[in-house]
Coordinates of all heavy atoms in Angstrom, one line a residue:
M1 N 0.8 -1.2 0.0 CA 0.0 0.0 0.0 C 0.9 1.2 0.0 O 1.9 1.3 0.7 CB -0.9 0.0 1.2 CG -2.1 0.8 1.1 SD -3.3 0.9 2.5 CE -3.5 -0.8 3.0
E2 N 0.5 2.2 -0.8 CA 1.3 3.4 -0.9 C 1.3 4.2 0.5 O 0.3 4.2 1.2 CB 0.6 4.4 -1.9 CG 0.5 3.8 -3.3 CD 1.7 4.1 -4.2 OE1 2.4 5.1 -3.9 OE2 1.9 3.4 -5.1
P3 N 2.4 4.8 0.8 CA 2.5 5.5 2.1 C 1.4 6.7 2.2 O 0.9 6.9 3.2 CB 3.9 6.1 2.1 CG 4.7 5.3 1.1 CD 3.7 4.8 0.1
E4 N 1.2 7.3 1.0 CA 0.2 8.4 1.1 C -1.2 7.9 1.3 O -2.0 8.4 2.1 CB 0.2 9.2 -0.2 CG -0.7 10.4 -0.2 CD -0.6 11.2 -1.5 OE1 0.5 11.2 -2.1 OE2 -1.6 11.8 -1.9
L5 N -1.5 6.8 0.7 CA -2.8 6.1 0.9 C -3.0 5.7 2.3 O -4.0 5.9 3.0 CB -3.1 5.0 -0.1 CG -4.3 4.2 0.1 CD1 -5.6 5.1 -0.1 CD2 -4.4 3.0 -0.9
R6 N -2.0 5.1 2.9 CA -2.0 4.6 4.2 C -2.2 5.8 5.2 O -3.0 5.7 6.1 CB -0.7 3.9 4.6 CG -0.6 3.2 5.9 CD 0.6 2.5 6.1 NE 0.7 1.5 4.9 CZ 1.3 0.4 5.0 NH1 1.9 0.0 6.1 NH2 1.4 -0.4 3.9
S7 N -1.5 6.9 4.9 CA -1.7 8.1 5.7 C -3.1 8.6 5.7 O -3.7 9.0 6.7 CB -0.7 9.1 5.3 OG -0.9 10.4 6.0
N8 N -3.7 8.6 4.4 CA -5.0 9.1 4.3 C -6.0 8.2 5.0 O -7.0 8.7 5.6 CB -5.4 9.1 2.8 CG -4.7 10.3 2.1 OD1 -4.2 11.2 2.7 ND2 -4.6 10.1 0.7
L9 N -5.8 6.9 5.0 CA -6.7 6.0 5.7 C -6.6 6.1 7.2 O -7.6 5.8 7.9 CB -6.4 4.5 5.3 CG -6.8 4.1 3.8 CD1 -6.3 2.7 3.5 CD2 -8.3 4.2 3.6
R10 N -5.5 6.6 7.7 CA -5.4 6.7 9.1 C -5.8 8.1 9.6 O -5.8 8.4 10.8 CB -3.9 6.4 9.5 CG -3.6 5.0 9.4 CD -2.2 4.7 9.9 NE -1.9 3.3 9.8 CZ -0.7 2.8 9.9 NH1 0.3 3.6 10.1 NH2 -0.5 1.5 9.7
N11 N -6.1 9.0 8.7 CA -6.5 10.4 9.1 C -7.9 10.3 9.8 O -8.9 10.1 9.2 CB -6.6 11.2 7.8 CG -6.7 12.7 8.1 OD1 -7.1 13.0 9.2 ND2 -6.5 13.5 7.1
T12 N -7.8 10.6 11.1 CA -9.1 10.6 11.9 C -10.1 11.7 11.5 O -11.3 11.5 11.6 CB -8.8 10.7 13.4 OG1 -8.1 11.9 13.6 CG2 -8.0 9.5 13.9
S13 N -9.6 12.8 11.0 CA -10.6 13.8 10.6 C -11.4 13.4 9.4 O -12.6 13.8 9.3 CB -9.8 15.2 10.3 OG -9.0 15.0 9.2
T14 N -10.8 12.6 8.5 CA -11.6 12.1 7.4 C -12.7 11.2 7.8 O -13.8 11.2 7.3 CB -10.7 11.4 6.4 OG1 -9.6 12.3 5.9 CG2 -11.4 10.9 5.2
W15 N -12.4 10.3 8.8 CA -13.4 9.4 9.3 C -14.5 10.1 10.1 O -15.6 9.8 10.1 CB -12.8 8.3 10.1 CG -11.9 7.4 9.2 CD1 -10.5 7.4 9.2 CD2 -12.4 6.5 8.3 NE1 -10.1 6.5 8.2 CE2 -11.2 5.9 7.7 CE3 -13.6 6.0 7.8 CZ2 -11.3 4.9 6.7 CZ3 -13.7 5.1 6.8 CH2 -12.6 4.5 6.3
K16 N -14.0 11.1 10.8 CA -15.0 12.0 11.5 C -15.9 12.7 10.6 O -17.1 12.7 10.8 CB -14.2 13.0 12.4 CG -15.1 13.8 13.3 CD -14.2 14.7 14.1 CE -15.0 15.7 15.0 NZ -14.2 16.6 15.7
R17 N -15.4 13.1 9.5 CA -16.2 13.8 8.4 C -17.3 12.8 7.9 O -18.4 13.1 7.7 CB -15.4 14.3 7.3 CG -16.2 14.9 6.2 CD -15.8 16.2 5.7 NE -16.7 16.7 4.7 CZ -16.6 17.8 4.2 NH1 -15.7 18.7 4.6 NH2 -17.5 18.3 3.2
L18 N -16.8 11.5 7.7 CA -17.8 10.5 7.2 C -19.0 10.4 8.2 O -20.1 10.3 7.7 CB -17.1 9.2 7.0 CG -18.0 8.0 6.6 CD1 -18.6 8.2 5.3 CD2 -17.2 6.7 6.7
L19 N -18.7 10.3 9.4 CA -19.8 10.2 10.4 C -20.7 11.4 10.4 O -21.9 11.2 10.4 CB -19.2 10.1 11.8 CG -18.5 8.8 12.1 CD1 -17.8 8.8 13.5 CD2 -19.4 7.6 12.0
F20 N -20.1 12.6 10.3 CA -21.0 13.8 10.1 C -21.8 13.8 8.8 O -22.9 14.2 8.8 CB -20.2 15.1 10.2 CG -19.9 15.4 11.7 CD1 -18.6 15.4 12.2 CD2 -20.9 15.9 12.5 CE1 -18.4 15.7 13.5 CE2 -20.7 16.2 13.8 CZ -19.4 16.2 14.3
M21 N -21.2 13.3 7.8 CA -21.9 13.2 6.5 C -23.1 12.3 6.6 O -24.1 12.6 6.0 CB -20.9 12.8 5.4 CG -19.9 13.8 5.0 SD -18.7 13.3 3.7 CE -19.8 13.1 2.3
V22 N -22.9 11.1 7.2 CA -24.0 10.2 7.4 C -25.1 10.9 8.2 O -26.3 10.8 7.9 CB -23.6 8.9 8.0 CG1 -24.8 8.0 8.4 CG2 -22.7 8.1 7.1
L23 N -24.7 11.6 9.3 CA -25.7 12.2 10.1 C -26.4 13.3 9.4 O -27.7 13.4 9.4 CB -25.0 12.9 11.3 CG -25.8 13.8 12.2 CD1 -26.8 13.0 13.0 CD2 -24.9 14.6 13.1
F24 N -25.7 14.1 8.6 CA -26.4 15.2 7.9 C -27.2 14.7 6.7 O -28.1 15.4 6.3 CB -25.3 16.3 7.4 CG -24.9 17.1 8.6 CD1 -23.6 17.2 9.0 CD2 -25.8 17.9 9.3 CE1 -23.2 18.0 10.1 CE2 -25.5 18.7 10.4 CZ -24.2 18.7 10.8
A25 N -26.8 13.6 6.2 CA -27.7 13.0 5.1 C -29.0 12.6 5.7 O -30.1 12.8 5.0 CB -27.0 11.7 4.5
V26 N -29.0 12.0 6.9 CA -30.3 11.7 7.6 C -31.1 13.0 7.9 O -32.3 13.1 7.7 CB -30.0 10.9 8.9 CG1 -31.3 10.7 9.7 CG2 -29.5 9.5 8.5
V27 N -30.4 14.0 8.4 CA -31.0 15.3 8.7 C -31.6 15.9 7.5 O -32.7 16.4 7.5 CB -30.0 16.3 9.4 CG1 -30.5 17.7 9.4 CG2 -29.6 15.8 10.8
F28 N -30.9 15.8 6.3 CA -31.4 16.3 5.1 C -32.7 15.6 4.7 O -33.6 16.3 4.2 CB -30.3 16.1 4.0 CG -30.7 16.6 2.6 CD1 -30.5 18.0 2.4 CD2 -31.3 15.9 1.7 CE1 -30.8 18.5 1.1 CE2 -31.7 16.4 0.5 CZ -31.4 17.7 0.2
Q29 N -32.8 14.3 4.9 CA -34.0 13.6 4.5 C -35.2 14.1 5.4 O -36.3 14.2 4.9 CB -33.8 12.1 4.7 CG -32.9 11.5 3.7 CD -33.4 11.6 2.3 OE1 -34.5 11.3 2.0 NE2 -32.5 12.0 1.4
L30 N -34.9 14.3 6.7 CA -36.0 14.7 7.6 C -36.4 16.2 7.2 O -37.6 16.5 7.2 CB -35.5 14.7 9.0 CG -35.3 13.3 9.6 CD1 -34.6 13.4 11.0 CD2 -36.6 12.5 9.6
A31 N -35.4 17.0 6.9 CA -35.7 18.4 6.5 C -36.5 18.4 5.2 O -37.3 19.3 5.0 CB -34.4 19.2 6.4
E32 N -36.3 17.5 4.3 CA -37.0 17.4 3.0 C -38.5 17.1 3.3 O -39.4 17.7 2.7 CB -36.5 16.2 2.2 CG -35.5 16.6 1.2 CD -35.2 15.5 0.2 OE1 -35.1 14.3 0.6 OE2 -35.0 15.8 -1.0
L33 N -38.8 16.2 4.3 CA -40.2 16.0 4.7 C -40.8 17.2 5.3 O -42.0 17.6 5.0 CB -40.2 14.8 5.7 CG -39.9 13.5 5.2 CD1 -39.8 12.4 6.3 CD2 -40.9 13.0 4.1
L34 N -40.1 17.9 6.1 CA -40.5 19.2 6.7 C -40.8 20.2 5.6 O -41.8 20.9 5.6 CB -39.5 19.7 7.7 CG -39.9 21.0 8.4 CD1 -41.2 20.8 9.2 CD2 -38.8 21.4 9.4
L35 N -39.9 20.3 4.6 CA -40.1 21.2 3.5 C -41.4 20.9 2.7 O -42.2 21.8 2.4 CB -38.9 21.2 2.6 CG -39.0 22.1 1.3 CD1 -39.0 23.5 1.7 CD2 -37.8 21.8 0.5
A36 N -41.7 19.6 2.5 CA -42.9 19.2 1.8 C -44.1 19.6 2.6 O -45.1 20.1 2.0 CB -42.8 17.7 1.5
A37 N -44.1 19.4 3.9 CA -45.2 19.8 4.8 C -45.4 21.3 4.7 O -46.6 21.7 4.6 CB -44.9 19.3 6.2
V38 N -44.4 22.1 4.8 CA -44.5 23.5 4.7 C -45.1 23.9 3.4 O -46.0 24.8 3.3 CB -43.1 24.2 4.9 CG1 -43.2 25.7 4.6 CG2 -42.7 24.0 6.4
A39 N -44.7 23.3 2.3 CA -45.2 23.6 1.0 C -46.7 23.3 0.9 O -47.5 24.1 0.4 CB -44.4 22.8 -0.1
V40 N -47.1 22.2 1.4 CA -48.5 21.8 1.4 C -49.4 22.8 2.3 O -50.4 23.3 1.8 CB -48.8 20.4 1.9 CG1 -50.2 20.1 2.2 CG2 -48.2 19.4 0.9
V41 N -48.9 23.1 3.5 CA -49.6 24.0 4.3 C -49.7 25.4 3.7 O -50.7 26.1 3.7 CB -48.9 24.1 5.7 CG1 -49.5 25.2 6.6 CG2 -49.1 22.8 6.4
Q42 N -48.6 25.8 3.1 CA -48.5 27.1 2.4 C -49.5 27.2 1.3 O -50.2 28.2 1.1 CB -47.1 27.5 2.0 CG -46.9 28.9 1.5 CD -46.9 29.9 2.6 OE1 -47.9 30.1 3.3 NE2 -45.8 30.6 2.7
F43 N -49.6 26.1 0.5 CA -50.5 26.0 -0.6 C -52.0 26.1 -0.1 O -52.8 26.8 -0.7 CB -50.3 24.7 -1.4 CG -51.3 24.6 -2.5 CD1 -51.2 25.3 -3.7 CD2 -52.5 23.8 -2.4 CE1 -52.1 25.1 -4.7 CE2 -53.4 23.6 -3.4 CZ -53.2 24.3 -4.5
L44 N -52.3 25.3 0.9 CA -53.6 25.4 1.5 C -54.0 26.8 2.1 O -55.1 27.2 1.9 CB -53.8 24.3 2.6 CG -53.7 22.9 2.1 CD1 -53.7 21.9 3.3 CD2 -54.9 22.6 1.2
F45 N -53.0 27.4 2.7 CA -53.2 28.7 3.2 C -53.5 29.7 2.1 O -54.4 30.5 2.2 CB -51.9 29.2 4.0 CG -52.1 30.3 4.9 CD1 -52.5 30.0 6.2 CD2 -52.1 31.6 4.5 CE1 -52.7 31.1 7.1 CE2 -52.3 32.7 5.4 CZ -52.6 32.4 6.7
R46 N -52.8 29.6 1.0 CA -53.0 30.4 -0.2 C -54.4 30.1 -0.8 O -55.1 31.0 -1.2 CB -51.9 30.2 -1.2 CG -52.1 30.9 -2.5 CD -51.8 32.4 -2.4 NE -52.0 33.1 -3.6 CZ -51.0 33.6 -4.3 NH1 -49.8 33.5 -3.9 NH2 -51.2 34.2 -5.5
L47 N -54.8 28.9 -0.8 CA -56.0 28.5 -1.4 C -57.2 29.0 -0.6 O -58.2 29.5 -1.1 CB -56.1 26.9 -1.5 CG -57.2 26.3 -2.2 CD1 -57.2 26.6 -3.7 CD2 -57.2 24.8 -2.0
I48 N -57.1 29.0 0.7 CA -58.2 29.4 1.6 C -58.2 30.9 1.8 O -59.3 31.5 1.7 CB -58.0 28.7 3.0 CG1 -58.2 27.2 2.8 CG2 -59.0 29.2 4.0 CD1 -57.9 26.3 4.0
T49 N -57.1 31.5 2.0 CA -57.1 33.0 2.3 C -56.8 33.8 1.1 O -57.0 35.1 1.2 CB -56.1 33.3 3.4 OG1 -54.8 33.1 2.9 CG2 -56.3 32.5 4.7
G50 N -56.2 33.3 0.1 CA -55.9 34.1 -1.1 C -54.5 34.7 -1.0 O -54.1 35.3 -2.0
S51 N -53.8 34.5 0.1 CA -52.4 35.0 0.2 C -51.6 34.0 1.0 O -52.1 33.2 1.8 CB -52.3 36.4 0.8 OG -52.8 36.3 2.1
A52 N -50.3 34.0 0.7 CA -49.3 33.2 1.4 C -49.1 33.7 2.9 O -49.3 34.9 3.1 CB -48.0 33.1 0.7
N53 N -48.7 32.8 3.7 CA -48.4 33.1 5.1 C -47.0 33.6 5.2 O -46.1 32.9 4.8 CB -48.6 31.9 6.0 CG -48.4 32.1 7.5 OD1 -47.3 32.6 7.8 ND2 -49.4 31.8 8.3
D54 N -46.8 34.8 5.6 CA -45.5 35.5 5.7 C -44.5 34.7 6.6 O -43.3 34.5 6.3 CB -45.6 36.9 6.1 CG -46.3 37.8 5.1 OD1 -46.3 37.4 3.9 OD2 -46.8 38.8 5.4
R55 N -45.0 34.3 7.7 CA -44.1 33.6 8.7 C -43.7 32.2 8.1 O -42.5 31.8 8.3 CB -44.8 33.4 10.0 CG -45.0 34.7 10.7 CD -45.9 34.7 11.9 NE -45.4 33.8 13.0 CZ -46.0 33.5 14.1 NH1 -47.3 34.0 14.3 NH2 -45.5 32.8 15.0
L56 N -44.6 31.5 7.4 CA -44.2 30.3 6.8 C -43.2 30.5 5.6 O -42.3 29.7 5.4 CB -45.4 29.5 6.2 CG -46.1 28.6 7.1 CD1 -47.3 28.0 6.4 CD2 -45.2 27.5 7.7
A57 N -43.4 31.6 4.9 CA -42.4 32.0 3.8 C -41.0 32.2 4.4 O -40.0 31.8 3.8 CB -43.0 33.2 3.1
V58 N -41.0 32.9 5.5 CA -39.7 33.2 6.1 C -39.0 31.9 6.6 O -37.8 31.6 6.4 CB -39.8 34.2 7.3 CG1 -38.5 34.3 8.1 CG2 -40.2 35.6 6.7
F59 N -39.9 31.1 7.3 CA -39.4 29.8 7.7 C -38.9 28.9 6.5 O -37.8 28.3 6.6 CB -40.5 29.0 8.5 CG -40.1 27.7 8.9 CD1 -39.2 27.5 10.0 CD2 -40.5 26.5 8.3 CE1 -38.8 26.2 10.4 CE2 -40.1 25.3 8.7 CZ -39.3 25.1 9.7
G60 N -39.6 28.9 5.5 CA -39.2 28.1 4.3 C -37.9 28.6 3.7 O -37.1 27.8 3.2
A61 N -37.7 29.9 3.7 CA -36.5 30.5 3.2 C -35.3 30.1 4.0 O -34.2 29.7 3.5 CB -36.6 32.0 3.1
G62 N -35.5 30.1 5.4 CA -34.5 29.7 6.3 C -34.2 28.2 6.1 O -33.0 27.8 6.1
L63 N -35.2 27.4 5.9 CA -35.0 26.0 5.7 C -34.3 25.7 4.4 O -33.4 24.8 4.4 CB -36.4 25.3 5.7 CG -36.4 23.7 5.6 CD1 -35.6 23.1 6.8 CD2 -37.8 23.2 5.6
A64 N -34.6 26.4 3.4 CA -33.9 26.3 2.1 C -32.4 26.6 2.2 O -31.6 25.9 1.7 CB -34.6 27.2 1.1
E65 N -32.1 27.7 3.0 CA -30.7 28.1 3.2 C -30.0 27.0 4.0 O -28.8 26.6 3.7 CB -30.6 29.4 3.9 CG -29.2 29.8 4.3 CD -28.2 29.9 3.2 OE1 -28.7 30.2 2.0 OE2 -27.0 29.8 3.4
Y66 N -30.6 26.4 5.0 CA -30.0 25.3 5.7 C -29.7 24.1 4.8 O -28.7 23.5 4.9 CB -30.9 24.9 6.9 CG -30.3 23.8 7.7 CD1 -29.1 24.1 8.5 CD2 -30.7 22.5 7.7 CE1 -28.5 23.0 9.2 CE2 -30.2 21.5 8.4 CZ -29.1 21.8 9.2 OH -28.5 20.7 9.9
L67 N -30.7 23.8 4.0 CA -30.5 22.6 3.1 C -29.4 22.9 2.1 O -28.6 22.0 1.8 CB -31.8 22.3 2.4 CG -32.9 21.7 3.2 CD1 -34.2 21.6 2.4 CD2 -32.5 20.3 3.7
R68 N -29.2 24.1 1.7 CA -28.1 24.5 0.8 C -26.8 24.2 1.5 O -25.9 23.7 0.9 CB -28.2 25.9 0.3 CG -27.2 26.3 -0.7 CD -27.0 27.8 -0.8 NE -26.5 28.4 0.4 CZ -25.2 28.3 0.8 NH1 -24.3 27.6 0.1 NH2 -24.8 28.9 1.9
R69 N -26.7 24.6 2.8 CA -25.5 24.4 3.5 C -25.2 22.9 3.7 O -24.0 22.5 3.7 CB -25.5 25.2 4.8 CG -25.5 26.7 4.6 CD -25.5 27.5 5.9 NE -25.4 26.9 7.1 CZ -26.1 27.2 8.2 NH1 -27.0 28.2 8.1 NH2 -26.0 26.5 9.3
V70 N -26.2 22.2 4.0 CA -26.0 20.7 4.1 C -25.5 20.1 2.8 O -24.6 19.3 2.8 CB -27.4 20.0 4.6 CG1 -27.2 18.5 4.5 CG2 -27.7 20.4 6.0
V71 N -26.1 20.5 1.7 CA -25.7 19.9 0.4 C -24.2 20.3 0.1 O -23.4 19.5 -0.3 CB -26.6 20.4 -0.7 CG1 -26.0 20.1 -2.1 CG2 -28.0 19.8 -0.6
A72 N -23.9 21.6 0.4 CA -22.5 22.0 0.2 C -21.5 21.2 1.1 O -20.4 20.8 0.6 CB -22.3 23.5 0.6
Y73 N -21.9 20.9 2.3 CA -21.0 20.0 3.2 C -20.9 18.6 2.6 O -19.8 18.0 2.6 CB -21.6 20.0 4.6 CG -20.7 19.3 5.6 CD1 -19.5 19.9 6.0 CD2 -21.0 18.0 6.0 CE1 -18.7 19.2 6.9 CE2 -20.2 17.3 6.9 CZ -19.1 17.9 7.4 OH -18.2 17.3 8.3
L74 N -22.1 18.0 2.2 CA -22.1 16.7 1.8 C -21.3 16.5 0.4 O -20.7 15.4 0.2 CB -23.5 16.2 1.6 CG -24.3 16.0 2.8 CD1 -25.8 15.6 2.5 CD2 -23.7 14.9 3.7
T75 N -21.3 17.5 -0.4 CA -20.6 17.4 -1.7 C -19.2 18.0 -1.7 O -18.6 18.1 -2.7 CB -21.4 18.1 -2.8 OG1 -21.6 19.5 -2.4 CG2 -22.8 17.4 -2.9
F76 N -18.7 18.3 -0.5 CA -17.3 18.9 -0.3 C -17.2 20.2 -1.0 O -16.1 20.6 -1.3 CB -16.3 17.9 -0.8 CG -16.0 16.7 0.1 CD1 -16.8 15.6 0.1 CD2 -15.0 16.8 1.0 CE1 -16.6 14.5 0.9 CE2 -14.8 15.7 1.9 CZ -15.6 14.6 1.8
A77 N -18.3 20.9 -1.2 CA -18.2 22.2 -1.8 C -17.9 23.2 -0.7 O -17.6 24.4 -0.9 CB -19.6 22.6 -2.5
G78 N -18.0 22.8 0.6 CA -17.7 23.6 1.7 C -17.3 22.7 2.9 O -17.7 21.5 2.9
D79 N -16.5 23.2 3.8 CA -16.0 22.4 4.9 C -16.7 22.7 6.2 O -16.4 22.1 7.2 CB -14.5 22.6 5.1 CG -13.7 21.9 3.9 OD1 -14.2 20.8 3.4 OD2 -12.6 22.4 3.6
T80 N -17.5 23.8 6.2 CA -18.2 24.2 7.4 C -19.4 23.3 7.6 O -20.3 23.2 6.8 CB -18.7 25.6 7.3 OG1 -17.5 26.4 6.9 CG2 -19.3 26.1 8.6
R81 N -19.5 22.7 8.8 CA -20.6 21.8 9.2 C -21.8 22.7 9.3 O -21.8 23.8 9.9 CB -20.4 21.1 10.5 CG -19.5 19.8 10.2 CD -19.4 19.1 11.5 NE -18.3 19.8 12.3 CZ -17.9 19.6 13.5 NH1 -18.4 18.6 14.1 NH2 -17.0 20.3 14.0
P82 N -23.0 22.3 8.9 CA -24.2 23.1 9.0 C -24.7 23.3 10.4 O -25.4 24.2 10.7 CB -25.3 22.2 8.2 CG -24.5 21.3 7.3 CD -23.2 21.1 8.0
F83 N -24.2 22.4 11.3 CA -24.6 22.5 12.7 C -23.7 21.5 13.5 O -23.4 20.4 13.0 CB -26.0 22.1 13.0 CG -26.4 22.1 14.4 CD1 -26.8 23.3 15.0 CD2 -26.4 21.0 15.2 CE1 -27.2 23.3 16.3 CE2 -26.8 21.0 16.5 CZ -27.2 22.2 17.1
P84 N -23.2 21.8 14.6 CA -23.0 23.0 15.3 C -21.9 23.8 14.8 O -20.8 23.6 14.6 CB -22.9 22.6 16.7 CG -22.3 21.2 16.7 CD -22.8 20.7 15.4

């Protein structure tokens, strides 16, 4: 085995990142369900009242930003963990 590969395999920060990636992949799936629920409620709100709920819109925008940060972390487009 190449010395560089051996060194990479022993790098604990890489394995720690893998654990966080698995965790954030699960969080992403849960957040997707929440996003779908917000979209349905927002649609029903619009259907019933004729306008969207501002608080839900702000929450949806924050959720979208969080999902963007999770995707960036999972795809190595960024090294900052979405939480904490």
